[in-house]
Amino acid sequence: MFTAKDYAMPQSVEEAYEILTARKTNYIVAGCAWLRMGSRRINTAVDLSEVGLDFINDTGDAIEMGAMTSYRSVETSSLLQENFSGILSRAVASIIGIQFRNVVTVGGSVYSRFGFSDFLTPLMVLDTSVHMYKDGVLPLEEFMKMPYTKDILVKVSVKKAPVIASYQMFRNAEADFPIVNLALSKTDGRFKVAVGARPGRAVLAPETAGYLTRALEDFRNQKDPKALDENAAQAGKILGDEVGFGSNMRAAAWYREKIAKVLLKRAIREVEGC
Ligand SMILES: Cc1cc2nc3c(=O)[nH]c(=O)nc-3n(C[C@H](O)[C@H](O)[C@H](O)COP(=O)(O)OP(=O)(O)OC[C@H]3O[C@@H](n4cnc5c(N)ncnc54)[C@H](O)[C@@H]3O)c2cc1C
């Protein structure tokens, strides 16, 4: 369990940032589900509960999720269920249980960039930006490659688009971390593929996506179901070469790669409506 000498409940993001940066050992606390698993010694715990970041808003061209929005809100939001093929709501719905999802937050999850995240992989195949208080607005793909900095994640925004998407994951047991996960999206005929829980951070697979964009256009012209399976198998090969998989206590690299190919095939079938 973490310990904190002092506790602050700022009323604005500006005030929170001032307290956060006043000392190296001051930290943001959000849902605290992850923090409580460790033994971090915090000087001042900066609680964002009263800063007004618990929202899911439709801005017209995007949907925004405030940093203090819980996974349960993401799961049950009609806005998120009706947009992006509902993959964001469905992706978080499989994490542990409702009480847990009532607590954990969008900000704590996206800021932490966990490799096993069920939320980041689908966000990667959408047009997602991360709004940081100091660093400004960053595309998620860029944010995923950045080191941790002393900053506050304010909100995550996802641009609306005529997208068809699928999120697939594989777990050894229901309440465990996914051993590999994959998201696929198609916007105006162009595909995006992301693979997470490799077990490293989620990455995009542009070569696989490029192949699918070309090959599935041919498939749609022919409407031959065999061609879809052949294309999925070829895309799986490209994915295996393009994305690096690793081993840990949950699965070996070769097993993750095999499962990722199966998930890709399922995602293609879902997106193509077969
Ligand atoms: C036992 C367990 C099992 C889990 N299983 C899964 C799973 O299967 N799939 C999955 O996707 N996730 C899983 N998670 C992760 C979980 O979903 C959350 O991502 C995680 O708990 C972080 O969210 P939080 O609100 O609890 O953050 P906290 O624990 O409060 O904070 C985590 C870190 O983020 C920082 N932080 C928090 N908010 C901000 C902010 N707005 N700006 C800057 N920094 C911030 C904190 O300082 C801290 O360093 C699991 C977590 C636990 C504890």
Side-chain angles (χ1 to χ4, degrees), residues 139-183:
L140 176 63
E141 198 190 341
E142 188 184 327
F143 183 69
M144 291 294 280
K145 294 176 189 152
M146 284 169 54
Y148 296 108
T149 55
K150 210 79 171 154
D151 202 348
I152 298 177
L153 190 150
V154 178
K155 63 186 176 187
V156 171
S157 75
V158 187
K159 269 217 179 105
K160 286 195 202 163
V163 64
I164 307 171
S166 170
Y167 174 68
Q168 304 284 331
M169 54 78 189
F170 186 77
R171 289 169 145 78
N172 283 331
E174 205 173 296
D176 200 359
F177 297 121
I179 62 161
V180 67
N181 60 33
L182 180 144

Side-chain angles (χ1 to χ4, degrees), residues 219 222-233 265 269 274:
F219 158 73
Q222 294 162 17
K223 275 286 167 210
D224 173 5
K226 251 206 228 147
L228 185 82
D229 283 350
E230 281 163 18
N231 287 330
K265 188 170 167 183
R269 286 188 164 278
C274 305

Side-chain angles (χ1 to χ4, degrees), residues 43-66:
N43 184 60
T44 302
V46 187
D47 187 334
L48 296 183
S49 299
E50 294 196 351
V51 166
L53 296 180
D54 181 1
F55 59 81
I56 299 175
N57 288 338
D58 187 342
T59 65
D61 65 347
I63 293 181
E64 297 188 336
M65 292 165 268

Side-chain angles (χ1 to χ4, degrees), residues 199-232:
R201 283 181 185 177
V203 289
L204 285 173
E207 283 177 34
T208 310
Y211 171 79
L212 284 175
T213 301
R214 292 186 300 276
L216 291 182
E217 196 181 330
D218 294 345
F219 158 73
R220 274 188 295 279
N221 294 336
Q222 294 162 17
K223 275 286 167 210
D224 173 5
K226 251 206 228 147
L228 185 82
D229 283 350
E230 281 163 18
N231 287 330

Side-chain angles (χ1 to χ4, degrees), residues 15-172:
E15 193 191 337
Y17 183 75
E18 250 176 53
I19 304 169
L20 176 69
T21 50
R23 261 179 99 155
K24 210 175 157 194
T25 48
N26 293 354
Y27 287 98
I28 300 291
V29 294
C32 288
W34 191 258
L35 272 172
R36 63 189 300 167
M37 303 282 287
S39 51
R40 188 179 279 175
R41 293 159 79 91
I42 298 177
N43 184 60
T44 302
V46 187
D47 187 334
L48 296 183
S49 299
E50 294 196 351
V51 166
L53 296 180
D54 181 1
F55 59 81
I56 299 175
N57 288 338
D58 187 342
T59 65
D61 65 347
I63 293 181
E64 297 188 336
M65 292 165 268
M68 290 301 281
T69 306
S70 72
Y71 270 179
R72 181 65 176 161
S73 299
V74 171
E75 179 189 351
T76 56
S77 155
S78 53
L79 260 182
L80 290 172
Q81 286 168 352
E82 285 157 15
N83 281 278
F84 320 120
S85 303
I87 55 167
L88 296 176
S89 300
R90 278 189 281 127
V92 297
S94 49
I95 302 170
I96 305 201
I98 291 174
Q99 285 155 313
F100 183 83
R101 298 196 293 276
N102 270 329
V103 167
V104 299
T105 62
V106 165
S109 305
V110 175
Y111 174 81
S112 299
R113 285 157 276 182
F114 299 118
F116 56 74
S117 176
D118 284 286
F119 191 48
L120 284 166
T121 307
L123 281 175
M124 289 279 282
V125 297
L126 303 172
D127 193 348
T128 306
S129 303
V130 178
H131 297 240
M132 301 301 292
Y133 178 73
K134 171 130 189 305
D135 284 342
V137 184
L138 302 157
L140 176 63
E141 198 190 341
E142 188 184 327
F143 183 69
M144 291 294 280
K145 294 176 189 152
M146 284 169 54
Y148 296 108
T149 55
K150 210 79 171 154
D151 202 348
I152 298 177
L153 190 150
V154 178
K155 63 186 176 187
V156 171
S157 75
V158 187
K159 269 217 179 105
K160 286 195 202 163
V163 64
I164 307 171
S166 170
Y167 174 68
Q168 304 284 331
M169 54 78 189
F170 186 77
R171 289 169 145 78
N172 283 331

